[in-house]
Amino acid sequence: MSTTKVYSLHGKGLKLNTKEDIEPYLSELKGIPDVEEIHIGGNTLGAPACQALADVLKNLKSLKIANFADIFTGRLIDEIPTAIGALTDALIHSSTLREIDLSDNAFGPRCAPSLVPFLSQNTHFSILKLSNNGLGPEGSVIIAQALEQNASAARRHRVTGPRMMASVDPTDNQPSVSATSGHFKTNFRVFHCGRNRLQHESMAAWGKTFAAHGGLQEVRLYQNGIFEPGFPELIAGLSSCPDLKYLDLQDNTISEQGSSAIAKALPSWPNLETLNLSECYLTTKGSSKIFTVLKTGSNNKLTTLQLQYSEIGEKALVILAEAILDHLPNLTSLSINGNIANPEGKAILEITDALEEHGHGDALDELDEMEEPEEEEEREEEAGRRLDEVGEDDKTLKAKLKKGA
């Protein structure tokens, strides 16, 4: 149930509808002095139960982690806004909170406004996990704008002087301006927002938000139906985060336009360690731009590079091999399966040799689903024709691209 400073009901499958239902568990929670973590995922809570829990949360003076993932299974959409609003409102003034997880709850755009008070006002948290919530572009814009307001509040606090607590790095507990880059940095460090159908229409809002915070180190936006027109504004915003270490854009359609944006931004991320661009339809032209920048030595701290099923041809992979040999000595995990190259051909051989040169001969993942190379010019022309099609929704077009239809 709990350790010294952790209270957990995780995965118990409890159905807590009312205040009376949850009261025995609240008594346990109140019996733990200075509780730092609460985990209640894997249960289902009604609005009255959430309100009762909220009344207790307001009095937790040492809380660092609030895990509210997967707590509304089977609930009607009408009761979720009130329920989640009660929980997050209770934490608005928590100065010790470091992480909040709201993933795997079917919010939809309708519930987004309930999160605005907390997200816009609490400037102390560092980690926000908000994946698989069905936000859609409408709901995600509401969340992005709330977080942008949060950055504005942090700037005001910096001027007026209240102490900012509980960032990822315990020595970095106040918003600051980097001495080297000049970027303003709030306490916001880690953001997970995958499987939310953000789509490219919301990327302008997210670009502004990321630029406003300036100190993000980890951003995961996988499986969001983002098409290439959205990437220039998104990546431009992230380029204002010089401490970025982990970027996950898997299963979005980046293509050449998005690749150009990423290539331009790479020198802004000298501390980048993990880059996940698998299933992103980079194309040979697009990926070549990214690999050419990697050849300049802009990101020599990279340890993990994921590029599976992204329509990358041998010409681009040869450039990648050169980048690895010259400037990626720390690369210990490379995934390129599902792209267009002979597993025993020149490009793969050069990549393998480059990895072995740095003592990482086991870094390359399996190559059992590589596509046979065709005339690459023909492939690029056909790819351009497909991307110019109109009247296709994201899922249909991506499916056609993968099948070669």
Side-chain angles (χ1 to χ4, degrees):
M1 178 188 304
S2 63
T3 57
T4 309
K5 295 186 177 181
V6 178
Y7 184 73
S8 178
L9 294 175
H10 181 76
K12 290 185 175 294
L14 301 172
K15 188 172 184 179
L16 307 174
N17 297 318
T18 66
K19 178 180 180 180
E20 290 71 26
D21 290 338
I22 200 172
E23 187 59 43
Y25 306 102
L26 297 182
S27 297
E28 294 175 351
L29 175 58
K30 288 184 283 188
I32 303 175
D34 301 322
V35 64
E36 295 182 355
E37 298 183 23
I38 178 170
H39 301 267
I40 59 173
N43 303 286
T44 178
L45 279 65
C50 285
Q51 184 59 64
L53 174 57
D55 292 339
V56 175
L57 291 175
K58 292 176 183 177
N59 297 314
L60 300 182
K61 304 304 182 182
S62 302
L63 188 66
K64 294 181 180 180
I65 297 176
N67 187 345
F68 302 146
D70 186 21
I71 60 172
F72 296 122
T73 299
R75 296 292 167 180
L76 297 176
I77 188 63
D78 290 343
E79 63 179 320
I80 297 177
T82 301
I84 194 60
L87 295 178
T88 53
D89 285 356
L91 298 173
I92 287 176
H93 301 294
S94 174
S95 63
T96 58
L97 188 69
R98 180 168 60 189
E99 175 180 340
I100 184 167
D101 190 346
L102 302 169
S103 301
D104 301 319
N105 291 305
F107 294 155
R110 184 173 180 178
C111 294
S114 298
L115 304 177
V116 169
F118 169 78
L119 293 178
S120 61
Q121 296 179 54
N122 186 309
T123 58
H124 309 285
F125 67 87
S126 299
I127 302 171
L128 173 60
K129 297 179 180 179
L130 194 63
S131 291
N132 193 30
N133 302 108
L135 292 174
E138 178 186 351
S140 69
V141 167
I142 293 172
I143 299 299
Q145 291 174 342
L147 289 169
E148 187 180 4
Q149 293 171 27
N150 181 296
S152 297
R155 286 178 181 271
R156 292 194 300 271
H157 290 170
R158 179 174 180 269
V159 172
T160 56
R163 186 173 176 83
M164 306 292 289
M165 300 297 293
S167 68
V168 171
D169 181 350
T171 66
D172 181 22
N173 54 20
Q174 299 186 52
S176 62
V177 175
S178 168
T180 54
S181 69
H183 291 293
F184 175 78
K185 298 178 184 180
T186 70
N187 287 332
F188 193 21
R189 296 289 182 268
V190 176
F191 182 51
H192 295 186
C193 193
R195 299 181 66 188
N196 264 310
R197 298 184 296 106
L198 303 185
Q199 302 179 12
H200 58 275
E201 291 87 351
S202 70
M203 290 301 101
W206 283 111
K208 291 179 181 178
T209 296
F210 294 145
H213 282 278
L216 282 155
Q217 297 176 1
E218 178 177 322
V219 176
R220 304 192 187 198
L221 301 176
Y222 56 90
Q223 296 179 3
N224 270 307
I226 307 169
F227 263 31
E228 63 172 325
F231 281 99
E233 289 176 297
L234 170 66
I235 300 301
L238 284 171
S239 68
S240 294
C241 298
D243 299 330
L244 192 68
K245 295 180 179 180
Y246 194 117
L247 180 59
D248 182 356
L249 299 173
Q250 181 173 357
D251 200 10
N252 294 288
T253 305
I254 292 176
S255 198
E256 189 174 350
Q257 188 177 359
S259 296
S260 296
I262 292 171
K264 182 179 179 180
L266 281 173
S268 302
W269 306 323
N271 298 311
L272 191 66
E273 297 175 357
T274 296
L275 180 60
N276 186 353
L277 302 176
S278 288
E279 301 178 89
C280 284
Y281 198 72
L282 298 176
T283 74
T284 297
K285 285 185 179 179
S287 59
S288 293
K289 296 179 180 182
I290 294 172
F291 302 156
T292 298
V293 174
L294 292 179
K295 275 182 61 177
T296 68
S298 60
N299 306 93
N300 57 16
K301 293 183 181 180
L302 266 178
T303 61
T304 302
L305 186 56
Q306 295 168 276
L307 302 163
Q308 298 186 87
Y309 306 100
S310 285
E311 296 290 318
I312 302 171
E314 291 183 318
K315 290 180 181 179
L317 292 175
V318 168
I319 301 173
L320 175 59
E322 295 169 354
I324 294 171
L325 181 62
D326 295 338
H327 291 293
L328 297 178
N330 300 302
L331 193 65
T332 56
S333 178
L334 175 63
S335 301
I336 57 173
N337 201 14
N339 287 297
I340 310 156
N342 182 343
E344 299 178 357
K346 175 186 175 183
I348 302 301
L349 180 60
E350 291 187 1
I351 287 175
T352 302
D353 288 346
L355 290 168
E356 289 179 348
E357 183 71 20
H358 299 302
H360 306 311
D362 59 347
L364 185 60
D365 201 1
E366 59 186 14
L367 302 171
D368 59 332
E369 295 190 13
M370 299 295 285
E371 294 184 30
E372 285 297 319
E374 298 178 10
E375 187 63 39
E376 289 195 27
E377 273 190 30
E378 292 181 9
R379 292 186 65 91
E380 294 288 349
E381 288 175 6
E382 180 64 11
R385 182 190 65 76
R386 293 191 214 119
L387 280 174
D388 285 338
E389 291 182 17
V390 295
E392 303 279 4
D393 62 22
D394 290 2
K395 184 181 290 186
T396 301
L397 183 52
K398 288 182 76 174
K400 290 179 72 174
L401 290 172
K402 288 182 179 179
K403 292 179 181 178

